[in-house]
Amino acid sequence: MNANGMNRPIYLDYQATTPLAPEALEAMLPYLADRFGNPHSPHLLGREADAAVERAREQIAGALGANPKRLFFTSGATESANWALKGVMAAPGQRRRRVVTIATEHACVLDSAEWLASLGYDVVLLPVGRDGLVDLDRARAALSREAALLSVMAVNNEIGVVQPLAALSAMARAAGALVHVDAAQSFGKLPLDLTLCDLVSISGHKIFGPKGIGALWVAGDVSIRPLLHGGGQEGPGLRSGTLSPALCAGFGAAAQLAAGRMVEDAAHAEQLWTRALARIAGPFTLNGSETARYRGNLNLMLPGVDAGRLISEARGVAFSAASACASGSGRPSHVLTALGLSREEARSSIRIGFGRYTTLEEVDRAMEIINTAIARQRHHAA
C-alpha cells in the first residue's frame, strides 16, 4: 500500500526495470544534497564529487572483473551499445565493413546496425531457432575475414535465452573480429568471462540501481571513436558530458551488492520461476529454451488469450507483453516472430520477470489474478 492508501500492483516486470536497492539510494542521497559539486571541477566540492565517481567506477569494474581505467560511464546500455557499434566501425584504421549480430537483439543494437547499413556497411542478422538460440553454422559463415564486429546479447531481454557466447566468441576471434556483448540483462546476475569480450555494455537500472546511468567497458587494445563530443570528460576524450555523481554512486553500490549476492539472487529467481510455471493456467508454451535461460524471465504463449487485454484486466499485477522499449508500437515482438511465432501467437505471449525483492507469496497471488483473467478470456472466446 502506498502513501495514498492505494494498493500497489505486484511487480513482475524485472526485465523492464528493477526497484532501487536501499543501499543504492543511501549511496546517492549525499550527492543529491550537500555534495552537489561538478565532478569535473577542480575545487573541493568538485574533487569530492569526482572521488564518488571514481569509487563507483571501481565498484562496477570490480563486479565485472574489469580494469576500471577502461570502464566509461554513459547514460545507459542504449548509449553504450550505440557507441560500441558505431565507435568500432568508425575507428582509425578500420578497414573491414561487416557487422554481424542476431535477429533477437535489443533495438539499440538492431537500430544501430540498420543505421550503419544505411551508410553502406554490410550488416548480417543471424537467425535463431524456435529455442531462441543462434544458428552456429550461419554464424560461422558470416564471421569471415570481412567481419569487423560481432554484437551479441548475453541474456535476451524478452525471453531470457542465454546465447552460446564462448562458441560465438571463438568464431569471431578466429576471423579477427571484435566481440561486443550487451550484458544489460546479465550483469550482476550471471558470470561473464571477459576474455570472451572486447566491449561490454551494461545498465544501472537493470541491477537495482538508478535509471539514466550505464557504462561501456572497452578492452585495452581496442580502438574506438567517440559517439558524443563536447568536453571529452570520460577517457579522457572518449565520451563527453557532465557525469552525475549521484547516479554513479547508486550504480556502484548496486553493482557491488549484486556481485556479492549473485548466487543467492540466482537461486531465488530459480525458485520463483519454478513456482510460477507450476501455477500458470494451461495450455501454454514456453517461449525460448528451457535450459539455456536465465530463470528470472518467464515468457509464455497462451493460446486464445490477447496479451494486451490480459495486462489490462489483471490490474493487480505489473507484467508485460514485450520489451518496454517496444510497448505501444502496435507491432508484434521482433524477438517472438524471429522464433517462428505467428503474429497471433506473439500477441498471445506474456513476459513475467522476477527478482531479488519478489516473494513466493507474491508469485502465488499474481498467478491467481492472471489465471482468473485468462479463464475469463477463454470463456468468452469459447
Side-chain angles (χ1 to χ4, degrees):
M1 187 165 296
N2 64 18
N4 296 320
M6 299 179 64
N7 289 325
R8 301 281 294 171
I10 297 168
Y11 187 71
L12 296 181
D13 201 15
Y14 271 68
Q15 279 70 54
T17 195
T18 56
L20 186 65
E23 296 86 347
L25 176 59
E26 184 179 0
M28 294 173 67
L29 288 176
Y31 304 98
L32 294 171
D34 296 339
R35 301 180 185 178
F36 56 84
N38 185 322
H40 314 295
S41 297
H43 49 64
L44 178 60
L45 285 176
R47 294 197 304 273
E48 187 177 60
D50 180 62
V53 169
E54 294 312 310
R55 172 170 166 73
R57 196 188 309 275
E58 291 175 0
Q59 289 173 313
I60 297 162
L64 189 61
N67 179 353
K69 293 182 179 179
R70 299 296 293 174
L71 185 88
F72 308 116
F73 284 114
T74 65
S75 62
T78 291
E79 181 191 331
S80 297
N82 270 260
W83 187 12
L85 270 69
K86 298 170 185 177
V88 163
M89 298 311 292
Q94 179 62 265
R95 298 288 183 264
R96 299 185 180 195
R97 305 281 294 177
R98 176 175 293 178
V99 177
V100 180
T101 189
I102 303 174
T104 52
E105 293 297 301
H106 190 277
C108 64
V109 167
L110 295 180
D111 289 358
S112 293
E114 183 179 355
W115 182 82
L116 288 168
S118 74
L119 299 181
Y121 288 91
D122 177 21
V123 173
V124 179
L125 292 185
L126 299 173
V128 297
R130 188 77 182 205
D131 58 5
L133 295 172
V134 69
D135 184 323
L136 290 177
D137 289 334
R138 295 281 290 272
R140 188 175 293 107
L143 288 165
S144 67
R145 291 289 174 181
E146 299 172 353
L149 180 68
L150 166 69
S151 184
V152 56
M153 190 186 297
V155 172
N156 188 272
N157 61 310
E158 289 197 31
I159 56 175
V161 165
V162 178
Q163 293 292 350
L165 180 57
L168 290 167
S169 177
M171 292 177 193
R173 295 282 170 76
L178 297 175
V179 179
H180 164 246
V181 174
D182 175 356
Q185 295 287 341
S186 67
F187 176 54
K189 300 169 188 173
L190 297 176
L192 177 65
D193 183 354
L194 274 194
T195 66
L196 304 176
C197 317
D198 297 294
L199 307 100
V200 177
S201 50
I202 55 178
S203 174
H205 76 106
K206 306 296 187 182
I207 59 161
F208 310 96
K211 299 172 183 64
I213 186 75
L216 179 68
W217 171 78
V218 183
D221 58 348
V222 172
S223 177
I224 185 170
R225 274 270 174 88
L227 182 66
L228 302 179
H229 300 87
Q233 287 90 339
E234 282 286 89
L238 286 178
R239 196 262 183 183
S240 297
T242 301
L243 294 176
S244 164
L247 295 180
C248 292
F251 190 10
Q256 187 175 55
L257 182 64
R261 292 181 52 101
M262 188 180 296
V263 174
E264 180 183 350
D265 283 351
H268 183 56
E270 174 86 29
Q271 187 180 27
L272 297 166
W273 192 88
T274 302
R275 185 79 153 238
L277 192 61
R279 281 163 170 70
I280 191 75
F284 63 81
T285 301
L286 180 67
N287 290 325
S289 172
E290 181 176 354
T291 54
R293 189 187 200 102
Y294 168 61
R295 295 300 180 94
N297 178 308
L298 180 61
N299 195 303
L300 301 169
M301 194 277 288
L302 307 168
V305 173
D306 180 273
R309 181 178 157 196
L310 186 68
I311 292 167
S312 177
E313 293 178 346
R315 296 177 184 173
V317 186
F319 62 106
S320 67
S323 74
C325 305
S327 64
S329 69
R331 300 187 302 271
S333 160
H334 75 278
V335 173
L336 298 181
T337 54
L339 267 60
L341 273 68
S342 67
R343 293 173 68 90
E344 181 180 355
E345 289 172 328
R347 287 177 171 144
S348 294
S349 296
I350 63 172
R351 182 185 69 181
I352 300 172
F354 319 104
R356 182 183 301 156
Y357 304 118
T358 311
T359 67
L360 289 171
E361 292 74 21
E362 285 179 320
V363 167
D364 290 344
R365 178 60 184 146
M367 291 305 103
E368 289 178 7
I369 295 170
I370 292 172
N371 286 343
T372 298
I374 290 172
R376 187 180 302 117
Q377 279 201 38
R378 286 177 171 161
H379 173 74
H380 289 314

